[in-house]
Amino acid sequence: MKIKLPLFEDEKAWCRLPVIAGPCSAESREQVVQTAVDLSQKGVGFYRAGLWKPRTHPGNFEGVGDRGLDWLLEVKEKTGMKVGTEVATPSHVKSALSAGIDFIWIGARTSVNPFAVTEIADAVARIYPDITVLIKNPVNPDIELWIGALQRFEKAGVRRIGAVHRGFSGYGTTDYRNNPLWTIPIELRRRYPDLPILCDPSHIGGKRELIDSLSQRALSIGFDGLIIESHCNPDEALSDSAQQITPDVLGDLMNNWSFRQLEGNHETGLEEFRREIDEIDNELIQLLARRMAVSRQIGDYKQKNGLSVVQIGRHDQVVRTRTNLGMAKGMSGEFMEKLFRLIHEESVDQQIKPPLPDNC
């Protein structure tokens, strides 16, 4: 992707406070306008509200639809905020863009479907290719599918494109509604350094008490902004009430966040730290190579004595003891467990590989 235009036309206003906020769903004129006025007083200049809501089960609140467009236009008139909503069909695109909505986003349930993405991208390009389009990651952790959705909009001729990291669906016990899997958006940034990437901590956490820490982590990593669900009365919200916060709470959080510095050059001051990191990484590689050499010797011994390569008791002991040692040194148990499970998997592979030639 070669898009380098500013994400929003008023780029300076965006950079001062890179937060899009508003309710999960537009529920009534009073709720939409009151929330917007409160957010505007906190310095938020970009307002979000869902009009068409894709829900898991039929019969749940599925949004107010087209009639909510007038409420968003009233927000624009009263507060001067830029307003946006989610679109999932070409008819949504036509309604939103014809009304004068400033930005739109594609949800995770839509971005997973290449046919739907193509139809929406073509509709945007026909009506207003200069509108800002934000594309959330697909529900499943597939970076190529996410990139494909972004490329479909670019191919259609849409010029202002950004990505939104909202986490990925998963199974099992987790602290999050959607697993952050930070390595995926970081890889997206590595491949496309000019692509604006925002974070949606509301959908990642699923709980309002997680928004603060998730937002600061995203900003510290280098995300370009946040999209956060805020409601004037979140406990009474018709959708996703647990993950919404009041404008007052959001204002307090924003005052404490450390936003990424967009100007200035501190590369010189980082060089000494980077040289130290490079030296440590080289040492780590040498140590891992030594460990794998020992693993190959163990593999030879097991083969000669008819022993199974995988010894479950030993594996569990290694992971447990190394995890505890790492935690004692200030590292997270989750990281240490993942690290030594990966090391063990490679050790097993080394034990079952044929011997290396003597000259290697």
Side-chain angles (χ1 to χ4, degrees), residues 16-258:
R16 282 199 300 272
L17 197 63
V19 175
I20 299 170
C24 171
S25 302
E27 301 164 358
S28 69
R29 173 191 168 276
E30 293 74 19
Q31 168 249 5
V32 168
V33 174
Q34 184 60 58
T35 303
V37 169
D38 293 346
L39 287 169
S40 178
Q41 292 173 350
K42 302 300 178 184
V44 176
F46 298 82
Y47 188 73
R48 55 142 294 149
L51 304 182
W52 303 278
K53 300 299 297 181
R55 306 306 297 275
T56 302
H57 299 288
N60 291 338
F61 176 66
E62 295 182 335
V64 298
D66 285 30
R67 66 192 179 100
L69 290 167
D70 287 338
W71 306 342
L72 292 179
L73 296 181
E74 184 176 348
V75 166
K76 284 184 66 172
E77 182 178 353
K78 285 189 173 182
T79 68
M81 302 173 83
K82 302 293 185 183
V83 296
T85 194
E86 178 179 348
V87 297
T89 69
S91 64
H92 295 166
V93 171
K94 182 178 180 181
S95 295
L97 272 57
S98 299
I101 295 300
D102 298 295
F103 64 93
I104 57 176
W105 72 87
I106 313 301
R109 301 180 192 221
T110 304
S111 62
V112 76
N113 185 337
F115 294 111
V117 171
T118 297
E119 290 180 353
I120 295 169
D122 289 343
V124 172
R126 284 195 304 271
I127 300 170
Y128 184 32
D130 280 330
I131 195 170
T132 297
V133 180
L134 306 175
I135 303 171
K136 292 194 173 186
N137 61 260
V139 290
N140 51 313
D142 184 343
I143 190 173
E144 298 301 336
L145 196 56
W146 194 5
I147 290 172
L150 293 159
Q151 290 174 333
R152 289 175 193 279
F153 275 87
E154 182 192 30
K155 183 178 179 181
V158 179
R159 292 184 268 275
R160 298 184 189 274
I161 301 173
V164 178
H165 172 48
R166 49 80 73 194
F168 303 89
S169 298
Y171 298 96
T173 303
T174 176
D175 293 333
Y176 305 105
R177 177 180 178 183
N178 293 289
N179 195 332
L181 297 179
W182 298 102
T183 55
I184 293 179
I186 290 173
E187 173 63 13
L188 183 65
R189 170 56 53 83
R190 187 192 68 79
R191 295 197 201 180
Y192 303 103
D194 296 315
L195 175 72
I197 304 178
L198 285 66
C199 182
D200 178 349
S202 303
H203 278 89
I204 292 176
K207 305 171 188 175
R208 59 178 64 108
E209 57 266 27
L210 294 177
I211 289 177
D212 186 20
S213 59
L214 286 167
S215 297
Q216 185 57 70
R217 178 164 186 171
L219 293 171
S220 298
I221 289 173
F223 280 70
D224 297 286
L226 304 168
I227 179 166
I228 295 174
E229 292 189 349
S230 179
H231 191 296
C232 57
N233 189 7
D235 289 334
E236 301 299 323
L238 299 180
S239 59
D240 287 349
S241 60
Q243 68 190 40
Q244 300 192 66
I245 57 177
T246 65
D248 284 341
V249 170
L250 178 58
D252 291 340
L253 295 180
M254 289 190 299
N255 288 333
N256 293 324
W257 288 334
S258 174

Side-chain angles (χ1 to χ4, degrees), residues 265-273:
N265 187 348
H266 296 277
E267 294 296 308
T268 301
L270 290 172
E271 283 307 313
E272 184 61 34
F273 294 117

